[in-house]
Amino acid sequence: MFSPKTEELLLEQLQESGLITERDVAHARGAQKGDESLLETLTKTGVINDEQIAQTVAVNSGMEYVDLHGYTAHQGLKDLVPLEVAMRYKVAPLGADGPTLQLVVSDPYDFETLDALPHILQPDIEFFCSTPSLIKTLMANIYGNEAVMGSGSFKTAGDSDSGDGDAPVIRLVTNLLMEAFKNRASDIHIEPLEKDVRIRYRIDGVLHDVEHHPKRLLAAIISRIKIMTGTMSIDEKRVPQDGRITMSFNDKELDMRVSIVPTNNGESVVMRVLDKSSLRLGLSDLGFLSDDQSRFERLLTLPDGIILVTGPTGSGKTTTLYACLNFINRPDRKIITVEDPVEYELAGINQVMVKEDIGMTFAAALRAMLRQAPNIIMIGEIRDMETAGIAIQASLTGHLVFSTLHTNDAPSAVARLTDIGIKPFLIASAVRAIMAQRLVRKLCGDCKAPSTLTDRELRSLGLEASQMLGAHIMGPQGCNKCRQFGFRGRMCILEIFEIDDEVRSMVNENLTTPQLRRRARQLGMRTLREDGIRKVLAGLTTADEVIEATMSDAD
């Protein structure tokens, strides 16, 4: 229970008070088993009891000892201290004296806890001392025997599975995560509103309102999530925090990236569910039709150069990069990635995480990586001239480089690199292909049904009735498999811009993006909207999905 230094001090105090002797301590040292402390051995052998230890601690710390035997706790106490805080800090509320909260603790020498609780609960706290077992019994009376006594021992930070899964808030958070997984949610949003707490899941790119809870539960929910990360400070509510949760469900490992940000109504949480099944996806699973897949796989076998994947945030660029690495990952190739952060661990691939606070930037990591003699390099994102310049040089010295850029379409990537500060002749020499992509929802394969396009949809897609011959237009229906949404999963729509000799000359001459786009179309590049139309006509998605995803498509 006590730290080694505190136990040493206590043993001296117990000897000074005449409760134990040096001989008792010597015998206890000889009888110690495993990780058992000397105080535990002394109590097990009946030399001293917990109440004598607690009373000695109280006297020497200047804290009042309270005998909790027969103490009757009123139900209002549970509103003073959330269960998660009580379990985390091994404390229980005794009551309130005006603005002063009265708490009982088992270790008055745990100054970290004594300093933290006024920030978590309220500034004015009066502390009392008692034994761990009596405090736990009091907690059971306050929060319910099932919530506390089933936990075995007091909970420690980062211990997300210590047998206390029946506690109400713990059960609430666990169910929230499990339901998100069962519903294939990519994100979980816990949002404090003025009067309640809203829970939303993002499923196939669309946010769904799933639960509302009383505002009084917010602090306990946030505390539980922070504890589950094992790295976040439960005391800190003023600045953003980031962490990660790993847990198992039905023999599957769930990995979630957690972001907590303070708002005017309380702390807001977003948990991104990292679906490791996406690591096994092939290009066809992502939405590549056979001709585009063959074309892109050919590009992946090039010995050097840069291949860029572009699109806005949330368009699946990282998943596509991972699919590319899976395709080319062989024992005779050394592959290194630099990412911010490393979201998934890939077998057989060396992955480096950016840590800008210690100087491990994209550029610094890239310089170090090149000394490792890799064949293939993946850069999570090209953000600045330094990173872009090193990537260009790597590609020109015999490395195949994959990376992402934030641009609306493929030809715009050339202008983006120029804006960053890369000379046109270097872009022309290094870049082999650029692929832009968006994500659209896939129709549920179990319930989709034949449908037709409206006149509005035909006009928006630029289709004539004659082009509908042989089309397999399908629409959403809804079933148990897709939870009545009519959609299940997402797929890419894409455009692939290959850089040939003529395009290199155009890039060297610093021609405009519209000029490059026209040349790309002449080379056979399908636009995002045209690829989307193919998938609508094949019955894979709907016209509305494609129209919404390609509003910025110029053609």
Side-chain angles (χ1 to χ4, degrees):
M1 181 184 75
F2 299 104
S3 70
K5 286 186 177 180
T6 300
E7 183 175 86
E8 210 173 292
L9 175 64
L10 268 174
L11 289 170
E12 290 180 11
Q13 293 170 347
L14 289 166
Q15 289 180 62
E16 288 171 4
S17 64
L19 291 169
I20 62 173
T21 65
E22 284 188 22
R23 188 176 179 183
D24 292 327
V25 174
H27 283 162
R29 291 190 195 280
Q32 267 183 299
K33 295 179 181 178
D35 295 331
E36 193 174 73
S37 70
L38 277 174
L39 283 174
E40 287 172 329
T41 305
L42 287 165
T43 55
K44 272 189 178 180
T45 55
V47 175
I48 197 169
N49 61 46
D50 283 342
E51 289 184 42
Q52 290 172 314
I53 293 173
Q55 288 167 355
T56 301
V57 170
V59 168
N60 286 279
S61 66
M63 196 176 285
E64 183 181 341
Y65 174 80
V66 288
D67 184 356
L68 297 175
H69 283 105
Y71 184 85
T72 303
H74 61 83
Q75 288 300 301
L77 289 177
K78 68 174 64 175
D79 295 328
L80 298 177
V81 180
L83 173 63
E84 282 293 325
V85 175
M87 296 296 287
R88 165 68 176 87
Y89 290 97
K90 309 171 190 175
V91 301
L94 288 174
D97 182 8
T100 302
L101 173 64
Q102 297 172 326
L103 291 182
V104 58
V105 300
S106 60
D107 183 2
Y109 295 113
D110 183 358
F111 300 116
E112 185 178 337
T113 289
L114 301 187
D115 290 341
L117 287 169
H119 296 287
I120 299 170
L121 299 171
Q122 61 187 64
D124 197 358
I125 296 178
E126 183 180 7
F127 290 101
F128 297 83
C129 178
S130 194
T131 71
S133 60
L134 290 175
I135 292 174
K136 191 170 183 180
T137 301
L138 175 59
M139 290 170 63
N141 290 334
I142 295 171
Y143 302 102
N145 189 67
E146 186 185 44
V148 177
M149 299 307 284
S151 66
S153 60
F154 277 122
K155 189 162 183 59
T156 58
D159 180 2
S160 62
D161 187 18
S162 54
D164 54 349
D166 290 331
V169 171
I170 295 176
R171 187 166 59 247
L172 186 156
V173 173
T174 301
N175 288 343
L176 184 155
L177 301 180
M178 295 303 98
E179 283 300 310
F181 176 74
K182 287 192 286 187
N183 281 280
R184 300 176 298 103
S186 60
D187 303 280
I188 304 164
H189 296 250
I190 302 173
E191 301 163 322
L193 306 179
E194 185 178 355
K195 296 181 179 179
D196 61 1
V197 180
R198 177 173 66 181
I199 311 294
R200 294 195 289 174
Y201 296 157
R202 189 183 300 278
I203 302 171
D204 295 334
V206 178
L207 276 172
H208 297 271
D209 200 330
V210 292
E211 292 178 17
H212 284 252
H213 294 288
K215 188 68 174 285
R216 61 183 171 80
L217 292 179
L218 178 64
I221 291 171
I222 301 296
S223 295
R224 173 59 183 167
I225 291 169
K226 288 180 177 179
I227 288 170
M228 290 178 76
T229 68
T231 57
M232 289 186 176
S233 170
I234 196 173
D235 318 336
E236 183 57 76
K237 300 181 180 180
R238 300 162 298 174
V239 298
Q241 295 189 69
D242 294 298
R244 205 157 184 154
I245 293 173
T246 301
M247 60 188 297
S248 296
F249 175 61
N250 287 350
D251 297 326
K252 293 184 178 179
E253 188 178 272
L254 302 185
D255 201 3
M256 284 160 277
R257 203 168 76 202
V258 183
S259 169
I260 298 182
V261 175
T263 72
N264 59 334
N265 287 318
E267 291 179 288
S268 174
V269 181
V270 175
M271 292 183 278
R272 183 179 179 191
V273 182
L274 304 176
D275 182 7
K276 294 187 177 181
S277 65
S278 65
L279 298 182
R280 299 186 294 273
L281 295 179
L283 296 178
S284 60
D285 299 312
L286 298 180
F288 283 74
L289 296 181
S290 58
D291 55 346
D292 282 334
Q293 182 174 340
S294 298
R295 188 179 180 192
F296 200 65
E297 286 178 352
R298 175 177 53 79
L299 292 169
L300 297 181
T301 62
L302 293 173
D304 54 29
I306 295 180
I307 296 175
L308 294 172
V309 181
T310 76
T313 300
S315 59
K317 300 186 298 295
T318 301
T319 301
T320 297
L321 287 184
Y322 281 136
C324 293
L325 293 182
N326 275 334
F327 179 78
I328 58 180
N329 187 13
R330 299 201 311 255
D332 63 338
R333 292 177 173 177
K334 184 176 180 69
I335 303 174
I336 303 183
T337 75
V338 53
E339 306 169 61
D340 183 19
V342 173
E343 293 189 353
Y344 305 101
E345 292 185 5
L346 300 171
I349 293 177
N350 302 277
Q351 295 173 269
V352 178
M353 185 165 72
V354 168
K355 295 180 180 178
E356 295 194 354
D357 56 333
I358 61 170
M360 180 63 88
T361 62
F362 272 107
L366 273 171
R367 288 193 195 93
M369 285 163 57
L370 290 174
R371 293 192 288 271
Q372 296 278 311
N375 302 105
I376 297 159
I377 297 170
M378 190 269 268
I379 307 168
E381 182 184 348
I382 291 179
R383 298 177 178 175
D384 51 49
M385 180 179 176
E386 190 176 17
T387 304
I390 298 170
I392 294 279
Q393 292 303 319
S395 71
L396 294 176
T397 53
H399 302 84
L400 183 60
V401 179
F402 297 93
S403 191
T404 69
L405 271 180
H406 286 274
T407 63
N408 284 332
D409 61 7
S412 297
V414 174
R416 173 69 178 141
L417 289 172
T418 305
D419 290 342
I420 286 175
I422 303 300
K423 300 295 184 184
F425 77 91
L426 289 174
I427 300 171
S429 302
V431 178
R432 298 288 180 263
I434 305 163
M435 186 181 78
Q437 68 177 59
R438 299 288 189 278
L439 291 176
V440 295
R441 291 185 294 172
K442 292 193 293 187
L443 285 164
C444 175
D446 289 286
C447 65
K448 65 181 180 181
S451 184
T452 57
L453 297 181
T454 65
D455 289 341
R456 178 191 64 80
E457 290 171 335
L458 287 169
R459 286 195 303 272
S460 296
L461 295 176
L463 290 174
E464 301 290 339
S466 59
Q467 296 174 270
M468 302 303 294
L469 294 175
H472 296 86
I473 307 299
M474 306 293 279
Q477 296 296 307
C479 66
N480 291 335
K481 289 284 184 68
C482 63
R483 298 185 181 265
Q484 308 304 322
F485 294 145
F487 297 90
R488 185 172 175 81
R490 289 191 289 176
M491 66 190 305
C492 294
I493 57 173
L494 47 94
E495 60 183 31
I496 302 173
F497 179 26
E498 286 192 67
I499 310 297
D500 67 356
D501 289 339
E502 185 178 341
V503 172
R504 288 191 185 91
S505 297
M506 296 173 72
V507 172
N508 269 323
E509 294 169 16
N510 207 18
L511 296 184
T512 64
T513 297
Q515 290 172 309
L516 289 176
R517 188 171 181 81
R518 280 195 293 272
R519 177 54 187 156
R521 297 298 307 282
Q522 291 167 4
L523 289 170
M525 182 189 83
R526 275 186 295 269
T527 66
L528 289 164
R529 176 156 291 188
E530 287 169 343
D531 189 54
I533 290 170
R534 288 206 303 165
K535 287 159 185 172
V536 171
L537 299 181
L540 300 175
T541 188
T542 66
D544 280 342
E545 284 291 306
V546 172
I547 292 167
E548 184 176 348
T550 59
M551 292 296 289
S552 61
D553 197 332
D555 291 352

